[in-house]
Amino acid sequence: MSAKVRKEGTSLESVSQDTGELLDEVRIETDDVRSKANAVFGSKVPLWLKIAIPIALIAIFVVSFSVGRFPISPGELVKTLSNGIAHHVGALFGNDIPIADERMYTVVFKIRLPRVLVVILTGAALAVSGASYQGMFKNPLVSPDLLGASAGASVGACLGLLLNMPTIVIQLWAFVGGLTAVGMAVWLNKFVKYDATLGLVLGGILVSTLFQSGMSLIKFMADGDDKLPSITFWLMGSFSSINSRDFWLILLPMAVGFALLLLECWKLNVLSFGDEEARSMGINTARTRLIVIFASTLLTSVTVAVAGIVGWIGLVIPHLARALVGPNYRVLLPTSMFVGSGFLLIVDDIARLLTTVEIPIGILTAILGVPFFVFIFKRNMKGWS
Amino acid sequence: MLEVKDLRAGYYKKEVVHGVSFTVERGEFVCIIGSNGCGKTTILKNLLGLIKPFGGQVTLDGKDALTMNDRERAQHFAYIPQAHTPPFPFTVADVVIMGRTPYVNRMATVSEKDKTIAFRALRQLSIDHLADHVYTKLSGGQQQLVLIARALAQQPDLLVMDEPTASLDFGNQQLVLSQMKKLTQQGMSVLMVTHDPDHALFCADKVLVMENGRLIATGTPAEVITKENLERIYDSKVCIRDIVTDEGEQVRVAIPLL
């Protein structure tokens, strides 16, 4: 460094003698700065990870098709998939390509495909909203139901179950319940006019408590022989009754949520330094917070609506992703989505394989999530406060 | 360059700053001194747009600074907070590139220009070798330099600092202040709130002495950091001495008498 400075100094002195030489010197200096700047601020994610993560996800995706009560060999899977796709594409152009094996087609396209896709979306949604919340609340121990999204969605769904509503209505109520609870937390924060982020946490705790009592009340009133078990079972989370309608139902809100959060990734980096600093760097923090809360709530409520409560993903996966690629949200958010999808796919496969009666997914994510979390936390405490 | 006229400000309904006027010229190092709670920080918060003033004018090169939006304001005013630890282990490069926030577009694509400017900021403070280090594991002084580099990456007209050295040890205080002084010699303007009159004596071109939300004196450090003024604002006994350093330089120091 000091040698460099001295070199520049001498060229400055020779300015009157040879301006051309100085200009060359300056040009070299800028090129040098530019290349170094690119090296310093370029992506620091190792190439093997960029390749390994998507490949791992694809591998898990394929395996998830094959395993279950009705095992499918890779060969059969490829045959059924290509035949099924040809059938559907053919139908678009008026060609009728018959389905070779009706039974196989039903398993792959009507049962496994929607299930796998919904699991992927759910895992990504919970992980990405958890990661976003951890940055926004400047706290690595926060999960996406901090502001009451899960509690609200549960109350909505349980009410629907209690009143014997059709599935679609239950899902809608869960969604509305989640949004209502978080809306109340946001409103409480405005009402008490306390510290912007702490006020939100306070509001979230109050609203969660309120809705949890509401849920207890519903359980208390529910018929113990029939309603109560179905409510309890639903709250534990499950993908066993997913069909393709569920997938299409959640696709749009999920896409909106993902897009909103991914667009805020830069601001999430800055926001994790605190409100005042973020504002002094030109961020409209109030608006950013609302966008992140809205998107995360959308994602969480939708997952609760189709699959019940799937805990721990939103807390654990961001940490795993951070251990892999670092805390920069521009890389962390997409990585969280990949890792969340992969993790939940594996857990769902285990749920399908382990016993003849499927273990509720929420129980498994917690049982697997806790040791996992301890492991990551122990290995990656360095640099954390 | 910066002109603050009759600024009145406070929190909720309570006025803390009662009509303060001052200017900061390009390349000028201005320090505000005053006791706790006299309104020093409130002035900074107004300049940074964190709170809205009750009255008065703030103009930057004749342009109204109070009506700027967050993004526009961040292109003119940069805030250097006290070094503190964010919850995640960002690298120094991650932190410094954040200074480009008021310039990046909606998709947050970092251009080559952004990278070059951020790198120059690192180099200006001679911390380019720290770029890959984890920010949270640096010493307090190094963290402070990184935050200064981040502020420089904003390409501001004015650096605003609120007691940047408060949590630093003796050597790191010196490191940070001498870097700040060097920046003003290169043409950057600095407005700094400080608790320590010696810091103002060491680096300020102009000192604003505040008491209960009003300026009681404005001028060069030699003019306004006097026994009378210090004893008045801090309500304590002070001794001011001109001394000659080992290098033969004449400096003034303020010594609190216990």
Side-chain angles (χ1 to χ4, degrees):
Chain A
M1 183 66 202
S2 65
K4 178 121 204 94
V5 170
R6 219 172 299 128
K7 202 168 129 214
E8 284 166 22
T10 43
S11 75
L12 279 171
E13 277 159 26
S14 64
V15 94
S16 54
Q17 295 155 10
D18 194 348
T19 327
E21 198 178 295
L22 175 74
L23 280 175
D24 284 345
E25 188 81 13
V26 168
R27 207 168 297 130
I28 292 163
E29 152 78 5
T30 3
D31 285 346
D32 179 49
V33 164
R34 198 172 295 153
S35 66
K36 279 195 178 150
N38 275 322
V40 165
F41 296 104
S43 167
K44 290 279 157 31
V45 181
L47 187 66
W48 69 269
L49 263 182
K50 283 184 191 164
I51 301 169
I53 293 176
I55 286 183
L57 184 62
I58 291 168
I60 299 167
F61 181 75
V62 172
V63 169
S64 303
F65 265 106
S66 318
V67 300
R69 287 269 292 286
F70 189 92
I72 304 170
S73 74
E76 284 173 315
L77 180 64
V78 171
K79 227 166 42 191
T80 317
L81 273 179
S82 50
N83 174 251
I85 292 167
H87 170 77
H88 283 287
V89 174
L92 286 179
F93 296 100
N95 301 338
D96 189 26
I97 298 164
I99 291 163
D101 184 339
E102 274 295 343
R103 206 161 66 115
M104 202 64 102
Y105 174 83
T106 308
V107 172
V108 170
F109 279 88
K110 298 255 169 78
I111 301 171
R112 296 267 163 89
L113 183 65
R115 179 168 184 161
V116 166
L117 290 177
V118 168
V119 169
I120 286 178
L121 286 177
T122 305
L126 291 171
V128 82
S129 35
S132 307
Y133 266 22
Q134 288 173 4
M136 199 174 79
F137 291 104
K138 296 174 283 176
N139 187 337
L141 298 176
V142 156
S143 61
D145 46 16
L146 179 75
L147 298 185
S150 297
S154 303
V155 168
C158 291
L159 259 182
L161 285 166
L162 186 72
L163 301 175
N164 260 334
M165 292 292 171
T167 322
I168 177 91
V169 178
I170 293 173
Q171 289 174 341
L172 207 68
W173 282 16
F175 180 63
V176 173
L179 285 180
T180 310
V182 175
M184 278 172 71
V186 172
W187 176 82
L188 268 174
N189 174 43
K190 279 231 160 73
F191 181 71
V192 296
K193 285 196 184 114
Y194 187 51
D195 175 280
T197 32
L198 275 179
L200 270 174
V201 177
L202 179 72
I205 292 172
L206 294 175
V207 169
S208 293
T209 311
L210 202 64
F211 275 76
Q212 268 152 17
S213 337
M215 211 153 61
S216 300
L217 188 66
I218 294 172
K219 281 185 184 168
F220 174 71
M221 294 193 305
D223 176 2
D225 294 327
D226 165 30
K227 288 278 148 39
L228 188 58
S230 74
I231 288 176
T232 312
F233 186 73
W234 188 88
L235 283 175
M236 291 181 211
S238 173
F239 290 105
S240 56
S241 54
I242 296 290
N243 54 37
S244 57
R245 204 207 56 211
D246 292 320
F247 171 71
W248 293 113
L249 201 67
I250 66 172
L251 189 61
L252 182 69
M254 286 267 186
V256 171
F258 288 140
L260 285 176
L261 287 183
L262 288 174
L263 278 172
E264 298 298 308
C265 60
W266 179 287
K267 292 177 183 168
L268 281 167
N269 275 339
V270 184
L271 217 56
S272 66
F273 273 76
D275 216 65
E276 293 200 341
E277 271 180 76
R279 281 177 72 188
S280 77
M281 279 184 265
I283 287 180
N284 184 339
T285 50
R287 198 182 65 192
T288 305
R289 250 198 311 272
L290 272 187
I291 293 174
V292 172
I293 290 172
F294 175 74
S296 298
T297 306
L298 197 65
L299 293 173
T300 313
S301 307
V302 165
T303 63
V304 178
V306 291
I309 310 272
V310 183
W312 276 88
I313 301 285
L315 177 62
V316 178
I317 297 305
H319 288 278
L320 179 59
R322 218 174 269 122
L324 286 172
V325 298
N328 190 330
Y329 274 96
R330 311 186 63 206
V331 197
L332 180 66
L333 285 191
T335 310
S336 295
M337 290 171 64
F338 277 116
V339 178
S341 300
F343 183 80
L344 198 56
L345 274 176
I346 294 174
V347 177
D348 187 48
D349 290 346
I350 294 173
R352 270 188 270 162
L353 285 175
L354 212 55
T355 48
T356 38
V357 181
E358 268 193 44
I359 302 173
I361 192 94
I363 297 176
L364 271 184
T365 51
I367 291 176
L368 291 171
V370 171
F372 209 59
F373 186 72
V374 172
F375 175 70
I376 306 165
F377 214 72
K378 188 163 166 45
R379 278 201 51 189
N380 291 282
M381 282 298 281
K382 48 178 196 253
W384 289 24
S385 59
Chain B
M1 184 191 71
L2 176 80
E3 195 174 358
V4 176
K5 239 194 229 160
D6 195 31
L7 182 73
R8 286 178 296 108
Y11 306 93
Y12 299 106
K13 295 252 144 57
K14 192 170 177 290
E15 194 175 276
V16 180
V17 174
H18 317 287
V20 163
S21 304
F22 64 92
T23 60
V24 181
E25 298 306 325
R26 216 165 280 283
E28 197 175 28
F29 200 133
V30 179
C31 279
I32 308 180
I33 61 170
S35 61
N36 286 333
C38 73
K40 306 185 295 285
T41 304
T42 313
I43 294 179
L44 299 193
K45 283 192 171 169
N46 277 286
L47 296 184
L48 294 167
L50 299 177
I51 53 174
K52 288 229 173 306
F54 297 163
Q57 282 177 315
V58 178
T59 53
L60 189 80
D61 293 324
K63 198 165 178 276
D64 187 0
L66 294 176
T67 53
M68 291 178 182
N69 62 29
D70 291 331
R71 188 179 165 93
E72 201 183 347
R73 189 182 304 107
Q75 296 176 356
H76 297 291
F77 298 88
Y79 175 50
I80 302 172
Q82 280 178 28
H84 63 94
T85 315
F88 305 114
F90 289 105
T91 65
V92 168
D94 286 339
V95 176
V96 174
I97 200 75
M98 287 182 201
R100 299 305 294 164
T101 303
Y103 300 92
V104 296
N105 58 19
R106 192 82 183 80
M107 304 299 286
T109 38
V110 185
S111 69
E112 194 155 86
K113 190 180 157 207
D114 292 318
K115 291 179 191 170
T116 310
I117 290 165
F119 184 72
R120 278 185 201 285
L122 278 173
R123 192 170 261 193
Q124 207 170 350
L125 294 159
S126 313
I127 50 169
D128 41 333
H129 62 285
L130 294 178
D132 288 334
H133 288 233
V134 173
Y135 169 80
T136 43
K137 286 198 285 184
L138 298 179
S139 74
Q142 287 174 323
Q143 288 190 339
Q144 194 68 63
L145 292 183
V146 173
L147 294 181
I148 296 172
R150 186 184 72 185
L152 287 179
Q154 280 177 250
Q155 297 186 299
D157 296 303
L158 181 72
L159 291 178
V160 177
M161 312 174 86
D162 193 359
E163 297 180 38
T165 57
S167 56
L168 300 181
D169 67 31
F170 193 68
N172 279 321
Q173 291 191 5
Q174 236 169 346
L175 175 70
V176 169
L177 287 179
S178 59
Q179 285 292 349
M180 295 307 297
K181 199 170 174 179
K182 214 171 94 190
L183 289 175
T184 54
Q185 281 157 2
Q186 290 163 359
M188 180 57 69
S189 313
V190 175
L191 179 64
M192 180 171 96
V193 160
T194 180
H195 262 317
D196 192 335
D198 281 337
H199 291 168
L201 282 166
F202 171 69
C203 50
D205 299 309
K206 183 158 84 186
V207 178
L208 315 174
V209 185
M210 259 189 107
E211 187 190 43
N212 294 330
R214 289 192 174 80
L215 290 185
I216 57 164
T218 305
T220 64
E223 285 166 6
V224 299
I225 302 191
T226 58
K227 186 175 160 66
E228 295 73 36
N229 278 341
L230 291 188
E231 291 192 338
R232 177 174 167 189
I233 59 173
Y234 294 122
D235 191 24
S236 61
K237 284 212 152 312
V238 180
C239 171
I240 305 275
R241 281 287 177 275
D242 287 311
I243 58 162
V244 178
T245 63
D246 295 344
E247 280 77 32
E249 212 180 326
Q250 192 176 337
V251 290
R252 177 169 288 196
V253 288
I255 303 152
L257 300 175
L258 300 177

